[in-house]
Amino acid sequence: MANSMGPTEEQQKIIDAAGNIVVIARPGSGKTYTIVKKIEKILEKSYEYQGIIAISYTKKASRELEQRCKMTGISMKSSFFGTIDNFYISEIIMPFVKYFFNKRIELQVEAELEKYPQYTILRNIKNGINSQIEIALINALAEGHIFLEISGETALFVLSQIPEAREYIQAKYTHIFIDEYQDCGNIQHEIFMKMISMGLLGIAVGDIDQAIYAFANRYSKYLSELTQNKKFQNFRISKNHRCHESIEAYSLQLLGISQKKGLYDDKRVFCVSCEGNEIVLSKKIAERISGIKEEYSIEHNCQIGILCRSKGSASKISENLGINNKLFIDNALDSSHFQWSRFFADLLRDYFDEEIFPIDVANRYADEELDRKNHKRILRMVKIIFESVPDDFIKLISTFVKLADLIYPEYVSKEAIRELESVLKSPEQLEGYRPPANNEICIMTLHKSKGLEFDVVFHMDLYDWVFPRRSISPIEYQQDLNLHYVGVTRAKKACYIMQGTYRYRSYKDDYYEAKPSPFLSINGVQNYRNNLIW
């Protein structure tokens, strides 16, 4: 979040700090603004050939960070912005595997290790490398296979075995930033610490209370460990610049953090009770949208978000809302880890973004002065795509592929092409890349909402057995509480927690009696909200 008044005292301390640091950043505290300002200060003092590594958990977050850094006017040609898997593959594995064999190897990223039974032993690499695993890994690389699910372990192996890989990283990069560190897994943490042992300075940023990916073996314990590591200075940015003060108070009370100021007269968190199921809730929301927009001075419907626990619930709300809405759903390209898939997804987002033009795309992938020929070719092909209508995209599949091959020739992927074809043939999936229109309510899962913000949030599915789930471990319970916390803190002006008397069960496609979630009475949060009946 930008700060028109300049950095706060908390933010300035982080920007000025030297050495390794760990930053605990609460929602709406200006985390991205602080990271951008720190990167700007670092690059101002760096040589032209030096850059920083900036790792974000999602491609969207990575693009936002890169674009905001570009706006500072600082040269970033030697810096890396992207996801951790992309960094492993493009900066470590691809360039340096050849040193094992003294020749160039044509490498292909493989999404599924199970398709190669001769290499099933590599699943054990997460527990450490022995001679058998090392031989299997070398053989797989010799045959041109990079297995995505062990790309981190493969990158760590390359770093450990190839001095040239370490020398390259040490010469090119001075700092490594990892955002959303609470979602790091063991291998991400190991490589971060490996980089620090090689002389890079590390900046880890996260919020333990927003850890929501334990199901993918990503835990907040690594962020907690860094706060206890004597090699790291600890900082906090705690002031929430996004949410109304009563929403911030509710969210912190939810976590058991008592508020000095106490209760607020103007409470902006509401628990809304309705007789009926999701169909009724949808209609009740639709009936009150106009009044809510007027009350909170909201200009467009797209500034309102309906956040759900599951895709099934989100689809049910979208179907029955009765007013224009946009349901955000993932597709094969979004969930793929192939470099070409990422490129195709980014290109489709660029197409639907009215603020991005073909020249912007060409400038992103080629320098017009240093690589005029490729810049011209890229621009020509992007113009062909941008000047076409979506219905004609499937006819331009060869143009998409030629463009990807020109920009990322080392990442050729038939699977990525198939994923692109499946999206281009589906109007619904293709529509998913279009930003919401001003008159459309945004509907998505709570997981998908992380990193976003809305003027008003309707928080769905806060029912017993759903939120939290029953018969779960303490870690899973905390993950559910964190996910609820994320949902509440997406709201800037008001948050409505919707409660029906029946709830939809997608696995049975029926409705079942609904009971309030224990989260509605945890730590006395009921005193920090208003109760309504619609």
Side-chain angles (χ1 to χ4, degrees), residues 51-304:
I52 56 93
I53 301 164
I55 303 296
S56 299
Y57 190 67
T58 66
K59 290 172 279 188
K60 179 181 181 298
S62 177
R63 286 185 68 191
E64 179 189 356
L65 179 60
E66 183 176 11
Q67 289 170 356
R68 288 179 62 170
C69 285
K70 284 180 178 178
M71 291 172 63
T72 67
I74 300 296
S75 173
M76 298 186 298
K77 292 178 183 177
S78 297
S79 295
F80 175 90
F81 289 81
T83 61
I84 191 71
D85 289 332
N86 194 6
F87 177 73
Y88 297 152
I89 294 168
S90 65
E91 290 295 284
I92 300 174
I93 302 174
M94 286 282 191
F96 295 103
V97 162
K98 62 186 178 184
Y99 286 87
F100 286 116
F101 313 106
N102 294 317
K103 65 177 183 179
R104 177 183 170 84
I105 302 293
E106 293 294 332
L107 294 164
Q108 172 74 40
V109 179
E110 307 291 352
E112 299 178 34
L113 180 55
E114 63 187 26
K115 290 183 178 179
Y116 298 85
Q118 68 271 37
Y119 294 123
T120 52
I121 191 176
L122 290 178
R123 289 191 182 280
N124 299 325
I125 196 173
K126 296 181 182 295
N127 300 320
I129 295 182
N130 57 31
S131 57
Q132 288 181 305
I133 291 174
E134 181 174 334
I135 291 170
L137 183 57
I138 291 291
N139 288 340
L141 292 170
E143 292 185 5
H145 303 304
I146 299 174
F147 295 112
L148 189 61
E149 63 187 89
I150 60 166
S151 61
E153 289 77 10
T154 304
L156 187 58
F157 177 71
V158 173
L159 273 179
S160 301
Q161 298 294 316
I162 306 297
E164 290 84 354
R166 298 192 297 274
E167 291 167 4
Y168 168 78
I169 296 294
Q170 291 167 327
K172 186 176 181 182
Y173 300 116
T174 61
H175 295 69
I176 176 169
F177 289 73
I178 296 189
D179 192 12
E180 306 289 2
Y181 207 92
Q182 76 277 357
D183 295 326
C184 273
N186 178 66
I187 189 61
Q188 290 90 356
H189 180 63
E190 276 196 61
I191 288 185
F192 181 68
M193 298 307 292
K194 177 72 172 178
M195 295 287 181
I196 290 169
S197 72
M198 290 162 47
L200 278 71
L201 295 178
I203 296 92
V205 184
D207 182 358
I208 293 169
D209 298 318
Q210 291 193 75
I212 59 174
Y213 292 103
F215 65 87
N217 295 316
R218 298 173 184 269
Y219 302 98
S220 59
K221 67 178 181 180
Y222 300 109
L223 180 59
S224 297
E225 283 180 14
L226 289 184
T227 64
Q228 304 301 316
N229 190 318
K230 294 182 180 179
K231 294 181 180 179
F232 284 79
Q233 302 175 69
N234 279 259
F235 295 92
R236 288 181 177 271
I237 37 178
S238 54
K239 175 60 180 174
N240 189 323
H241 302 282
R242 174 199 298 154
C243 304
H244 183 268
E245 58 183 3
S246 68
I247 299 174
E248 180 185 16
Y250 186 93
S251 68
L252 294 177
Q253 193 69 29
L254 189 66
L255 302 175
I257 303 173
S258 297
Q259 302 306 291
K260 295 179 181 179
K261 186 175 179 180
L263 304 179
Y264 291 84
D265 294 330
D266 183 14
K267 298 174 186 175
R268 299 287 188 88
V269 178
F270 305 92
C271 186
V272 182
S273 299
C274 303
E275 287 284 338
N277 55 31
E278 280 82 358
I279 296 175
V280 174
L281 294 181
S282 300
K283 297 185 184 306
K284 294 290 186 181
I285 291 172
E287 289 171 2
R288 284 164 172 77
I289 287 294
S290 295
I292 288 172
K293 287 173 63 179
E294 183 177 353
E295 181 175 359
Y296 296 111
S297 302
I298 299 172
E299 185 176 0
H300 302 300
N301 282 1
C302 64
Q303 295 165 289
I304 298 171

Side-chain angles (χ1 to χ4, degrees), residues 400-418:
F400 280 87
V401 173
K402 287 177 182 177
L403 193 54
D405 194 37
L406 178 61
I407 296 171
Y408 296 114
E410 70 274 31
Y411 294 113
V412 175
S413 171
K414 293 181 180 179
E415 183 63 28
I417 298 172
R418 285 193 289 270

Side-chain angles (χ1 to χ4, degrees), residues 298-351:
I298 299 172
E299 185 176 0
H300 302 300
N301 282 1
C302 64
Q303 295 165 289
I304 298 171
I306 301 178
L307 312 183
C308 306
R309 177 63 195 259
S310 67
K311 295 178 182 177
S313 175
S315 296
K316 187 64 64 174
I317 298 294
S318 177
E319 291 168 8
N320 293 283
L321 191 61
I323 57 178
N324 291 332
N325 67 82
K326 182 170 179 60
L327 177 63
F328 288 80
I329 55 174
D330 283 335
N331 58 52
L333 284 180
D334 289 326
S335 56
S336 176
H337 292 280
F338 295 114
Q339 180 63 48
W340 273 25
S341 298
R342 292 171 177 151
F343 170 72
F344 293 143
D346 285 343
L347 188 59
L348 291 173
R349 291 189 188 95
D350 290 339
Y351 173 86

Side-chain angles (χ1 to χ4, degrees), residues 18 20 76 146 229 263 269 303 342 353 356 367 383 443 463 475 490 501:
N20 302 311
M76 298 186 298
I146 299 174
N229 190 318
L263 304 179
V269 178
Q303 295 165 289
R342 292 171 177 151
D353 190 331
I356 294 181
D367 190 302
K383 279 184 175 180
I443 304 176
Y463 299 124
I475 289 178
R490 298 311 93 195
T501 50

